[in-house]
Amino acid sequence: MNLLSNQSLLTSSQSRPDISFPIDSMRQLPERVLQFGTGVLLRGLPDYLIDKANRQGIFNGRIVVVKSTDGGDMAAFARQDNLYTLCIRGVNNQKLVEENVVCSAISRVLSAKSHWSEVLRVAASPDLQVVISNTTEVGIQLVQDDIRQFPPVSFPGKLLAVLHARYQAFNGDPTKGLVIVPTELIPENGTKLNDILLELAHLNGLDGAFIDWLETANTCCNSLVDRIVPGRPDPATHHALTEMLGYEDDLLTISESYRLWAIEGDKHVEAVLSFQKADEGVIIRPNIDQFRELKLRLLNGTHTLSCGLAFLSGLDTVREAMEDEVVSAFMQSVMLGELIPGIPYSVDEKVAQRFGFQVLDRFRNPFIEHRWLAITMQYTAKMQMRNVPTLLHYYRQLNVTPRYMAIGFAAYLLFMRATHQQDETWYGERNGEAYPIYDDQAGYFADLWTRLTPQELTNTVLQNVPLWGHDLTQLPGFAAAVAKHLTQLTDSGIRLTLSSYFTGAEAVTV
């Protein structure tokens, strides 16, 4: 069976109406986008949307991707002429959706480490208009970075170096600024990135004229991406899709049919990001707070409060959890009963409920294998960003202890109980099998678990202001509830503990 490539498309594209193959002219489009990150979310949403616009003759631009390290999927991009297949599976208006799209929006993939000179040449291209990024939720951080390094260490450092090279190439031309759209899931991601760029410019001693150009000629947009795009399909699914497609694709990606890319911007941003005309899932508005809050608090917040609980109970995917009586009851209860009233933003309750039920349907998507272990990545940072503001607002609104958030927090603490370290990675144990803990705080928790009781550990962690931005032991009853649930989960196990709360799986309904 042939590997997906430009050559293999010459024979297969003529006889497969069930696959949307690229139009030949799309491969010659200019490089208008510089993208930091090669992850599946970028391939499944922004890159797909740009590909869709190109097919309609709207945006007419391709993407140069910058990968922070060598290896990994970089070689797969090279083997496949930067093509990949997106298999879209879901339910839309009660109808099954099954689409197969070979995306050709990516023109090439460059390694920051090995090809930094080429990245800087892209920065000087007159065709370049847009920067997109997804460098995980910890990627947008201020690091004492020297932008003259080859390459700089941090993502903001790399981006500042790109902008400085562009400024020099065009002698500070104010029309050569870029529209920058970070998609990292943090509040005000564009605003935060812009502030870091300015501070980093001062720390690097860059001249005032450049800093003025940086501020006035470029636009960092707050944005929100919302599409479930799991990692590589499991072997059985991958084999079945390969047989159906008729070719091998090492970058094959599955996504749900639902899609949203909300971008905060004005008429200038709309004009530059013309691909928004090709799909109703791209929304450009002066304020996107409502979209961000609903997605962050309900979809992502439920994921974060449920991932440790579901994984430790023996369930590997979100779909499996929704088919499990007690775990699905927990997920529905925490979302509808506690997260909705805790949203720290003024949202109409009916709108929130409608969104919540839509999220639950998305979780039930029979085509998606969204793995809980992937959701636990940077668990601590996600808990702080997604759930602590909701928890605080819940207390302000109701002043009672949220039972289900306390259970979810206890399961998070239990998930972080490492048993050993190997090659700088900490591992926990589930049913006698090791699992990796990909979290910057893994070492901190490993130390606490070796010397503290569940009660002591709970109090120590909850009062850690640097982790949460607040002393969570000051919330009446919360520390006691978390410690109680942690002891129950440790002594009795996940399933017995959950069953005691969901006899007959009676979940909260609103």
Side-chain angles (χ1 to χ4, degrees):
M1 190 175 291
N2 290 330
L3 183 70
L4 176 63
S5 66
N6 283 329
Q7 183 62 36
S8 66
L9 292 186
L10 293 176
T11 56
S12 58
S13 61
Q14 305 301 317
S15 58
R16 293 299 301 271
D18 57 326
I19 304 175
S20 296
F21 291 100
I23 303 167
D24 287 342
S25 60
M26 293 168 60
R27 302 190 187 104
Q28 310 304 319
L29 294 174
E31 296 173 333
R32 299 193 187 282
V33 181
L34 185 64
Q35 174 177 295
F36 288 86
T38 61
V40 293
L41 178 62
L42 289 169
R43 300 206 301 266
L45 187 59
D47 299 352
Y48 158 78
L49 292 167
I50 289 173
D51 181 85
K52 184 175 182 178
N54 288 341
R55 292 170 186 269
Q56 299 177 26
I58 293 176
F59 181 66
N60 297 322
R62 300 182 78 194
I63 304 164
V64 179
V65 175
V66 180
K67 195 175 188 298
S68 59
T69 58
D70 292 332
D73 53 9
M74 189 167 177
F77 280 103
R79 290 194 302 270
Q80 298 183 185
D81 297 323
N82 302 302
L83 300 169
Y84 67 94
T85 309
L86 183 65
C87 296
I88 301 169
R89 302 290 187 270
V91 179
N92 186 19
N93 293 327
Q94 301 182 348
K95 295 181 179 179
L96 291 178
V97 174
E98 296 188 48
E99 298 178 29
N100 307 296
V101 182
V102 177
C103 296
S104 65
I106 296 174
S107 60
R108 49 188 170 141
V109 178
L110 303 175
S111 162
K113 180 180 178 181
S114 303
H115 307 130
W116 190 242
S117 295
E118 187 61 32
V119 173
L120 295 181
R121 278 194 285 273
V122 175
S125 167
D127 295 319
L128 187 63
Q129 295 178 306
V130 181
V131 172
I132 300 171
S133 72
N134 193 295
T135 54
T136 78
E137 293 170 341
V138 297
I140 300 183
Q141 300 287 342
L142 177 63
V143 175
Q144 297 289 337
D145 208 350
D146 181 357
I147 70 163
R148 298 168 184 84
Q149 292 186 82
F150 238 67
V153 174
S154 66
F155 160 59
K158 293 180 178 71
L159 177 56
L160 184 61
V162 162
L163 292 169
H164 192 252
R166 188 168 183 81
Y167 169 82
Q168 292 179 317
F170 294 104
N171 298 312
D173 185 342
T175 68
K176 297 301 182 182
L178 302 175
V179 172
I180 302 162
V181 190
T183 65
E184 291 80 355
L185 191 64
I186 58 175
E188 307 292 322
N189 48 17
T191 300
K192 184 173 183 180
L193 178 58
N194 184 69
D195 291 344
I196 291 173
L197 290 172
L198 290 172
E199 187 167 354
L200 203 53
H202 286 289
L203 290 173
N204 277 264
L206 302 179
D207 65 81
F210 167 72
I211 294 175
D212 180 66
W213 180 85
L214 179 64
E215 285 192 271
T216 59
N218 301 273
T219 305
C220 284
C221 302
N222 295 320
S223 86
L224 170 73
V225 288
D226 189 1
R227 190 175 217 182
I228 297 174
V229 187
R232 182 179 174 86
D234 64 82
T237 303
H238 191 274
H239 177 75
L241 289 172
T242 298
E243 290 295 311
M244 181 273 296
L245 293 169
Y247 56 79
E248 296 279 353
D249 183 351
D250 291 336
L251 296 170
L252 190 150
T253 305
I254 297 178
S255 81
E256 66 173 335
S257 56
Y258 179 89
R259 60 205 174 275
L260 173 68
W261 191 7
I263 302 168
E264 207 164 82
D266 54 16
K267 295 297 182 183
H268 168 68
V269 171
E270 280 192 44
V272 174
L273 306 182
S274 58
F275 54 76
Q276 56 96 15
K277 300 175 184 177
D279 193 285
E280 62 182 9
V282 186
I283 297 172
I284 300 177
R285 292 186 183 175
N287 187 298
I288 61 168
D289 285 349
Q290 176 170 299
F291 298 103
R292 180 178 64 83
E293 287 297 323
L294 287 173
K295 195 257 183 178
L296 184 66
R297 307 305 171 193
L298 301 188
L299 189 150
N300 299 115
T302 301
H303 268 163
T304 302
L305 284 166
S306 305
C307 59
L309 199 71
F311 178 79
L312 293 176
S313 71
L315 304 171
D316 290 326
T317 67
V318 176
R319 185 182 67 178
E320 288 176 350
M322 294 304 295
E323 294 171 351
D324 183 277
E325 196 173 38
V326 293
V327 177
S328 63
F330 169 82
M331 293 171 67
Q332 181 172 322
S333 297
V334 73
M335 180 193 295
L336 302 180
E338 294 179 353
L339 297 184
I340 284 179
I343 296 175
Y345 183 81
S346 179
V347 179
D348 181 270
E349 186 177 357
K350 290 183 178 180
V351 171
Q353 289 178 22
R354 186 162 55 248
F355 185 87
F357 283 114
Q358 186 180 44
V359 167
L360 291 170
D361 283 340
R362 293 168 64 190
F363 287 170
R364 296 186 185 100
N365 187 339
F367 299 105
I368 295 294
E369 294 290 341
H370 201 176
R371 306 193 74 80
W372 286 118
L373 198 57
I375 296 171
T376 66
M377 188 172 294
Q378 296 301 343
Y379 205 160
T380 304
K382 289 176 178 176
M383 188 69 81
Q384 191 279 326
M385 295 171 193
R386 299 172 174 183
N387 295 116
V388 169
T390 312
L391 174 66
L392 297 173
H393 191 69
Y394 183 92
Y395 266 95
R396 285 193 292 268
Q397 292 293 101
L398 302 176
N399 197 31
V400 295
T401 302
R403 171 193 290 182
Y404 306 114
M405 280 195 257
I407 295 173
F409 210 100
Y412 150 71
L413 297 179
L414 185 58
F415 179 90
M416 298 296 291
R417 182 172 63 178
T419 57
H420 65 283
Q421 187 180 27
Q422 182 178 338
D423 297 329
E424 299 185 355
T425 298
W426 287 98
Y427 289 84
E429 188 174 293
R430 182 188 73 167
N431 298 328
E433 295 186 359
Y435 62 83
I437 303 174
Y438 295 123
D439 190 297
D440 290 344
Q441 302 298 327
Y444 165 74
F445 280 93
D447 172 64
L448 295 184
W449 272 108
T450 62
R451 57 188 177 82
L452 299 180
T453 65
Q455 175 74 57
E456 293 169 335
L457 183 140
T458 298
N459 287 331
T460 299
V461 173
L462 291 184
Q463 66 188 9
N464 189 331
V465 175
L467 277 188
W468 314 117
H470 300 269
D471 180 352
L472 300 182
T473 63
Q474 298 302 306
L475 300 175
F478 188 67
V482 173
K484 171 189 171 185
H485 297 314
L486 181 57
T487 300
Q488 289 177 315
L489 294 173
T490 304
D491 295 344
S492 304
I494 301 284
R495 305 205 66 80
L496 188 59
T497 300
L498 281 185
S499 296
S500 68
Y501 290 110
F502 297 109
T503 303
E506 293 178 0
V508 169
T509 57
V510 179

